[in-house]
């Protein structure tokens, strides 16, 4: 009902070109709208009034529950997971929330990925498939294990790895595929799992941006062999730094736990020095972080619903603007976590106004945004790593020589030139906020020629 009303008011407003529908907006939002005629005023970048003056909802969100949780750990003096109950409690709660059998909390998302690869004994000589449109950590963990990264191009429309191209990238050296659920959506797990199971090849879901997202009504991160999460400050569940591995495989649960705990299993406590598994490190979470996560988890479902309503509404608004293409979701993606709100910008529909100038203009209108990732497969440090002493010892010269050509990702190059991102906290407010984002974009489009000059 409410959705219909807002939709109609939007259509009425765009039809008339006037802002009279502002009268239908919630009071709180109306107070932040400087002028009902904002979309015909001069662009803020050229000195006009910005569409939005108030900021967006802040992040992180906390109150006395978080203070009490942290103080409780402090006063207990039990700050280490071996001495306190909080990290264990968090692991149980997170596994249950996500519908996984086992959870291993880790120091951050990078170490969740590192321990997954470690627990699977992936190492020198192995190839690991990943998308080029991701945070650098997905790549770094592969290099940390002296494995060879193999990039599979992006699907322009969804921003996810193009699952149709995974099979062609497999060799007899392929040990794992790391699909990344980008921005809160989901990679095409049906196709990836089908390809992986024929081999068999391990599937490590990088779900660091997709807490509570779902693939065919199952939480992402519980579908592959392991799923890795990040609780770093920007993520949808946050304890400053933190991470987790989910798995339904009891053997992997033991191996990943041992990897993250210097080779010591769950049963090994205190001054007992027995080791299991192989290579290992200390990648543990502290009790402070465990307590903070338990407190933050009380909010996660309501926040996710809030983002989902606003994200879906913003999609409907922006799909109607020529030249703006919100990231599409695969049919199998039954829930989006909206860690990022991502869209492609087509300058041809904005009088040739460059993407970077568009971003500047949108920021000036009071809408924070960024250009997102640059092409990871083209980073110079990869070449340097592959030509390093260790890599040259492991891999035939030909494999290193041919690497750049084999890893070209032309679709991703286009994606990196045209993407625009908004952050998850911007979806935590009201629908009126989404109207203003769309208003600001329409205003820029109207004045695009002027902004370009
Ligand atoms: C944040 C992130 C990571 C790494 O998580 P950290 O907790 O920062 O180590 C890995 N992959 C993706 C896709 C991420 O967004």
């Amino acid at each position: 009902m409410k959705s219909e009303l807002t939709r109609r008011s939007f259509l009425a407003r765009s039809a008339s070109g006037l802002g009279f529908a502002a009268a239908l907006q919630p009071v709180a939002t109306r107070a932040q709208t400087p002028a009902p005629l904002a979309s015909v005023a001069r662009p803020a970048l050229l000195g006009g009034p910005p569409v939005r003056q108030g900021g967006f909802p802040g992040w992180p969100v906390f109150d006395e529950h978080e203070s009490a949780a942290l103080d409780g750990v402090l006063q207990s003096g039990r700050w280490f997971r071996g001495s306190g109950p909080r990290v264990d409690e968090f692991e149980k709660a997170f596994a249950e929330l996500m519908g996984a059998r086992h959870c291993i909390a880790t120091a951050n998302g990078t170490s969740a990925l590192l321990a997954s690869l470690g627990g699977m004994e992936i190492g020198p000589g192995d190839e690991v498939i990943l998308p080029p449109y991701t945070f650098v950590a997905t790549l770094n963990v592969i290099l940390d294990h002296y494995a060879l990264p193999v990039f599979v191009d992006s699907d322009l429309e969804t921003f996810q790895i193009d699952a149709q191209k995974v099979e062609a990238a497999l060799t007899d050296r392929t040990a794992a595929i790391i699909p990344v659920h980008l921005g809160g959506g989901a990679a095409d797990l049906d196709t990836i799992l089908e390809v992986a199971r024929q081999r068999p090849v391990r599937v490590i879901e990088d779900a660091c941006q997709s807490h509570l997202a779902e693939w065919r009504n199952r939480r992402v991160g519980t579908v592959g062999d392991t799923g890795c999460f990040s609780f770093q400050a920007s993520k949808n569940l946050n304890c400053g730094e933190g991470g987790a591995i989910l798995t339904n495989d009891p053997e992997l649960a033991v191996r990943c736990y041992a990897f993250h705990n210097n080779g010591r299993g769950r049963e090994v406590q205190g001054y007992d020095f027995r080791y299991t598994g192989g290579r290992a490190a200390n990648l543990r979470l502290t009790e402070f972080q465990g307590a903070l996560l338990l407190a933050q988890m009380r909010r996660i479902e309501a926040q996710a619903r809030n983002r989902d309503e606003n994200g879906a509404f913003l999609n409907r608004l922006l799909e109607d603007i020529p030249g703006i293409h919100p990231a599409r979701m695969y049919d199998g993606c039954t829930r989006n976590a909206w860690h990022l709100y991502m869209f492609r910008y087509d300058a041809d529909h904005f009088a040739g106004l460059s993407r970077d100038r568009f971003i500047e203009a949108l920021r000036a209108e009071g809408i924070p945004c960024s250009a997102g990732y640059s092409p990871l497969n083209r980073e110079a440090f990869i070449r340097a790593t592959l030509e390093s002493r260790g890599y040259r010892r492991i891999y035939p010269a030909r494999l290193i020589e041919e690497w750049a050509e084999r890893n070209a990702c032309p679709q991703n190059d286009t994606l990196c030139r045209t993407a625009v991102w908004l952050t998850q906290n911007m979806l935590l407010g009201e629908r009126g906020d989404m109207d203003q984002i769309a208003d600001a974009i329409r205003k820029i489009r109207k004045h695009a020629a002027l902004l370009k000059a």
Side-chain angles (χ1 to χ4, degrees):
M1 185 63 213
K2 191 179 162 207
S3 138
E4 262 312 295
L5 189 67
T6 322
R7 167 83 176 163
R8 263 187 276 124
S9 70
F10 158 68
L11 291 173
R13 184 168 20 164
S14 24
S16 71
L18 292 175
F20 69 84
L24 293 174
Q25 288 183 4
V27 175
T29 312
R30 199 186 331 155
Q32 288 168 343
T33 310
L37 298 176
S39 69
V40 295
R42 261 179 97 69
L45 198 56
L46 303 177
V51 169
R52 185 178 175 87
Q53 271 164 349
F56 282 87
W59 190 259
V61 177
F62 62 94
D63 60 21
E64 62 278 7
H65 284 92
E66 279 77 5
S67 305
L70 287 172
D71 199 50
V73 175
L74 182 70
Q75 299 301 335
S76 75
R78 302 194 296 180
W79 302 349
F80 153 64
R81 76 163 293 172
S83 63
R86 296 289 177 241
V87 175
D88 280 342
E89 273 173 41
F90 168 73
E91 287 175 337
K92 285 198 185 75
F94 195 63
E96 190 175 309
L97 174 72
M98 304 302 283
R101 275 199 210 118
H102 308 277
C103 174
I104 298 113
T106 58
N108 47 58
T110 307
S111 51
L113 290 162
L114 194 71
S116 282
L117 290 167
M120 294 171 186
E121 295 191 294
I122 288 165
D126 289 333
E127 294 184 2
V128 179
I129 290 173
L130 79 162
Y133 203 74
T134 184
F135 182 59
V136 67
T138 320
L139 168 64
N140 279 334
V141 295
I142 298 169
L143 299 175
D144 288 340
H145 284 289
Y146 282 90
L148 192 70
V150 175
F151 287 101
V152 167
D153 207 353
S154 299
D155 172 358
L156 211 50
E157 286 194 8
T158 60
F159 289 54
Q160 310 293 341
I161 190 169
D162 188 338
Q164 302 300 330
K165 295 182 178 154
V166 169
E167 190 161 16
L170 295 175
T171 70
D172 54 9
R173 296 175 299 269
T174 309
I177 305 169
I178 310 185
V180 181
H181 303 299
L182 242 299
D188 175 0
L189 288 177
D190 289 357
T191 306
I192 291 164
L193 286 171
E194 195 184 304
V195 169
R197 284 190 183 129
Q198 286 163 10
R199 287 298 183 126
V201 166
R202 295 286 201 178
V203 174
I204 300 163
E205 293 177 74
D206 181 338
C208 288
Q209 301 185 1
S210 287
H211 317 69
L212 299 191
E214 290 175 5
W215 182 259
R216 302 201 188 283
N217 303 308
R218 280 173 73 184
R219 308 265 203 227
V220 304
T222 67
V223 183
D225 293 289
T226 63
C228 298
F229 291 82
S230 167
F231 311 125
Q232 181 270 340
S234 70
K235 304 295 161 79
N236 294 17
L237 179 62
N238 162 23
C239 64
E241 294 276 10
I245 302 169
L246 296 180
T247 183
N248 292 318
D249 178 334
E251 194 186 323
L252 271 182
V254 167
R255 299 188 65 90
C256 292
Y257 187 95
F259 189 95
H260 112 292
N261 192 36
N262 273 324
R264 305 174 77 198
R266 274 192 199 267
E267 68 290 352
V268 178
Q269 299 289 333
Y271 296 90
D272 174 356
F273 303 103
R274 287 176 293 137
Y275 311 103
T276 51
R279 290 171 298 127
N282 173 5
L283 309 170
R284 291 186 301 260
L285 196 72
T286 69
E287 287 289 286
F288 292 103
Q289 293 156 304
L292 192 51
L293 285 169
L294 285 165
Q296 290 274 291
M297 266 172 73
R298 294 166 40 256
R299 311 170 188 281
I300 189 173
E301 182 58 43
Q303 286 169 339
R305 272 202 300 268
N306 193 176
R307 286 188 202 99
D308 203 16
E309 276 181 24
N310 280 325
F313 180 60
L314 187 57
N315 265 359
R316 295 199 293 277
L317 296 182
L318 299 197
E319 272 156 8
D320 286 345
I321 304 178
I324 301 293
H325 307 290
R328 191 174 73 75
M329 281 155 61
Y330 293 114
D331 290 342
C333 180
T334 46
R335 189 178 193 186
N336 192 314
W338 304 99
H339 174 62
L340 300 165
Y341 185 92
M342 309 182 292
F343 62 88
R344 280 177 298 128
Y345 167 79
D346 181 354
D348 289 348
H349 289 272
F350 283 71
L353 181 74
S354 74
R355 190 262 314 254
D356 292 350
R357 183 81 171 151
F358 169 81
I359 285 173
E360 253 183 90
L362 195 53
R363 285 180 184 155
E365 297 297 343
I367 313 297
C369 57
S370 69
Y373 298 131
S374 47
L376 192 55
N377 55 318
R378 293 175 173 276
E379 289 290 341
F381 78 86
I382 303 178
R383 183 96 233 150
T385 305
L386 299 185
E387 281 169 4
S388 67
R389 193 163 40 86
Y391 268 82
R392 276 190 281 118
R393 273 194 194 139
I394 299 161
Y395 297 94
R398 183 189 46 81
L399 214 58
I400 294 174
E401 275 318 300
E402 291 169 356
W403 187 89
E405 200 184 327
R406 183 180 171 203
N407 285 273
C409 294
Q411 294 293 306
N412 188 64
D413 292 344
T414 303
L415 185 56
C416 291
R417 276 196 305 270
T418 54
V420 180
W421 290 3
L422 312 177
T423 52
Q424 53 89 6
N425 61 298
M426 296 169 72
L427 304 180
L428 285 175
E430 298 168 356
R431 277 184 176 225
D433 300 349
M434 305 303 107
D435 285 317
Q436 286 191 324
I437 294 168
D439 282 347
I441 295 174
R442 280 193 294 264
K443 179 179 170 188
I444 292 166
R445 184 160 181 271
K446 188 172 222 156
H447 298 284
L450 195 65
L451 279 161
K452 194 188 165 199

